[in-house]
Amino acid sequence: MAELTAAIVLAAGKGTRIKSSIPKVLLPMNGRSLVGHANDAVVGAGAKHVVYVVRHERDKVAAHISQINPDATIVDQDDIKGTGRAAWCGLQGLPAGLTGSVLIMAGDSPMFTADTLAELARIHAAGSNAVTVLSTVVEDASGYGRIIRDAAGAVVGIVEHKDAIPEQLKIREIGTSTYVFDIAFLRESLDTLDTNNSQGEMYLTDVVARAHALGAGVGSFVLEDSVQAEGVNDLVQLATLRAEKNRRILAAWMRTGVHIVDPATTHVDVDVTLEPDSVIQPGTILRGRTHVAAFAVVGPNTELDSVAVGERARVPHAVLSGGEVAPGEAVSPFSTRITNR
């Protein structure tokens, strides 16, 4: 794994289209907040320093981040708008004079895997470029920044949707708002940004154009799995990604030998663990740190939250929270049990 010196996660946005009192990055999904999924990915990718840039509902967001990653640094975005300014604020949270590579990603991107971010870091390290851009190709690119390439296929810039001309709007390769930069180049470049665009914001994408213009090198990693690049802008998108994340979790468990009878009606959170030959019946929801041992049968229509289910136990039509179900135990149907954890 190529060493990733640092990561900056942008978690300052309000998310006006969400229409919820919960800050967008704290919305729950598959056993994590949105920013919790981002944290899993950057930590799993090996980032040595992790910085979060916060602003909206600052105290709530900061408290949550400190809980899930006590080693993270939290910095505040100031009144100047834009991803470029957010990145500048994030750099202030890194040790002075730090060199190497820094990953920058959005805090409302819950689908990225640690392997994807680690591969982005590896490609950057191998390419000797000032920046490496993570992009993907989609059927409908509406609302996304378009990747601009020259005749030789090299990335020369990223144009935001609202700034794009009609010809550029036909491009289906989009930026994912995820990059690895050389820290020194990023620090120098962010001091040159202005707000001369339709949004009146400092665009981080302008640093990509600057790298090309100066011949500093712009690397490219085109991600085939475009779903990983999707963010959450409203509760419809959240539900869609929650369902897809769950589908992937279930598929991974089934490939290890877990019998999930009806994936369409089964939900399993990210921290749940299942042993081969366990059976999960339809209508089952497994949350928290639930563990199901071999040959245990859970469901149908059962909800468990951080319950340890022993071998060959049976748990039908039950709602249990905390505690254990002993090996071989048959829980009475329609049982409800809440155990202090």
Side-chain angles (χ1 to χ4, degrees), residues 101-187:
S101 59
V102 57
L103 167 78
I104 297 183
M105 68 173 290
D108 64 346
S109 299
M111 299 298 289
F112 282 124
T113 67
D115 287 345
T116 291
L117 299 185
E119 178 65 5
L120 176 62
R122 187 198 66 76
I123 291 172
H124 179 77
S128 300
N129 293 305
V131 55
T132 301
V133 177
L134 181 63
S135 67
T136 194
V137 177
V138 296
E139 286 299 319
D140 181 5
S142 300
Y144 291 98
R146 305 310 203 277
I147 300 294
I148 309 300
R149 294 180 180 268
D150 63 16
V155 175
V156 300
I158 304 173
V159 61
E160 298 295 337
H161 181 93
K162 292 184 178 180
D163 295 315
I165 61 175
E167 199 63 28
Q168 292 169 333
L169 290 174
K170 298 177 183 178
I171 297 170
R172 292 171 49 229
E173 184 183 5
I174 62 168
T176 66
S177 301
T178 308
Y179 319 84
V180 172
F181 290 94
D182 173 77
I183 294 175
F185 182 83
L186 179 64
R187 188 179 290 117

Side-chain angles (χ1 to χ4, degrees), residues 1-329:
M1 181 185 294
E3 181 170 305
L4 186 61
T5 311
I8 297 174
V9 181
L10 309 183
K14 183 176 182 179
T16 54
R17 283 178 279 175
I18 296 292
K19 295 181 172 60
S20 170
S21 60
I22 302 171
K24 179 166 76 165
V25 296
L26 301 190
L27 288 168
M29 177 181 143
N30 307 85
R32 291 278 189 278
S33 62
L34 296 185
V35 77
H37 287 294
N39 184 74
D40 282 353
V42 297
V43 171
K48 301 295 185 288
H49 303 270
V50 182
V51 176
Y52 287 87
V53 182
V54 302
R55 181 174 172 88
H56 177 67
E57 294 278 14
R58 187 251 183 235
D59 291 345
K60 287 182 182 178
V61 175
H64 176 72
I65 291 169
S66 294
Q67 182 180 29
I68 64 174
N69 187 349
D71 296 326
T73 299
I74 298 170
V75 301
D76 296 291
Q77 182 165 2
D78 56 22
D79 292 334
I80 301 174
K81 295 181 179 180
T83 52
R85 187 60 177 187
W88 183 91
C89 294
L91 281 178
Q92 311 315 303
L94 294 176
L98 186 69
T99 60
S101 59
V102 57
L103 167 78
I104 297 183
M105 68 173 290
D108 64 346
S109 299
M111 299 298 289
F112 282 124
T113 67
D115 287 345
T116 291
L117 299 185
E119 178 65 5
L120 176 62
R122 187 198 66 76
I123 291 172
H124 179 77
S128 300
N129 293 305
V131 55
T132 301
V133 177
L134 181 63
S135 67
T136 194
V137 177
V138 296
E139 286 299 319
D140 181 5
S142 300
Y144 291 98
R146 305 310 203 277
I147 300 294
I148 309 300
R149 294 180 180 268
D150 63 16
V155 175
V156 300
I158 304 173
V159 61
E160 298 295 337
H161 181 93
K162 292 184 178 180
D163 295 315
I165 61 175
E167 199 63 28
Q168 292 169 333
L169 290 174
K170 298 177 183 178
I171 297 170
R172 292 171 49 229
E173 184 183 5
I174 62 168
T176 66
S177 301
T178 308
Y179 319 84
V180 172
F181 290 94
D182 173 77
I183 294 175
F185 182 83
L186 179 64
R187 188 179 290 117
E188 168 198 316
S189 298
L190 290 176
D191 287 335
T192 71
L193 296 187
D194 58 35
T195 57
N196 186 26
N197 52 64
S198 65
Q199 298 292 92
E201 298 181 359
M202 286 188 174
Y203 286 161
L204 186 57
T205 51
D206 288 345
V207 179
V208 177
R210 183 173 188 267
H212 170 71
L214 295 178
V218 180
S220 172
F221 174 23
V222 183
L223 181 63
E224 290 186 13
D225 181 12
S226 63
V227 171
Q228 288 192 47
E230 294 190 27
V232 175
N233 290 309
D234 59 32
L235 295 182
V236 175
Q237 286 181 312
L238 177 62
T240 299
L241 292 185
R242 181 184 289 117
E244 177 59 19
K245 189 89 162 182
N246 185 62
R247 187 192 69 78
R248 295 180 181 209
I249 290 169
L250 297 182
W253 282 119
M254 286 187 283
R255 290 189 181 103
T256 70
V258 175
H259 300 267
I260 296 176
V261 177
D262 184 13
T265 62
T266 302
H267 181 94
V268 174
D269 277 354
V270 293
D271 286 329
V272 171
T273 51
L274 308 171
E275 294 183 14
D277 290 314
S278 59
V279 179
I280 312 301
Q281 296 280 11
T284 294
I285 300 172
L286 304 180
R287 302 192 185 281
R289 296 190 175 278
T290 292
H291 176 77
V292 181
F295 301 104
V297 179
V298 176
N301 304 316
T302 291
E303 182 171 354
L304 305 182
D305 186 349
S306 298
V307 177
V309 180
E311 280 195 21
R312 302 185 186 278
R314 302 184 69 87
V315 192
H317 301 282
V319 178
L320 309 179
S321 179
E324 300 179 358
V325 176
E329 180 181 352

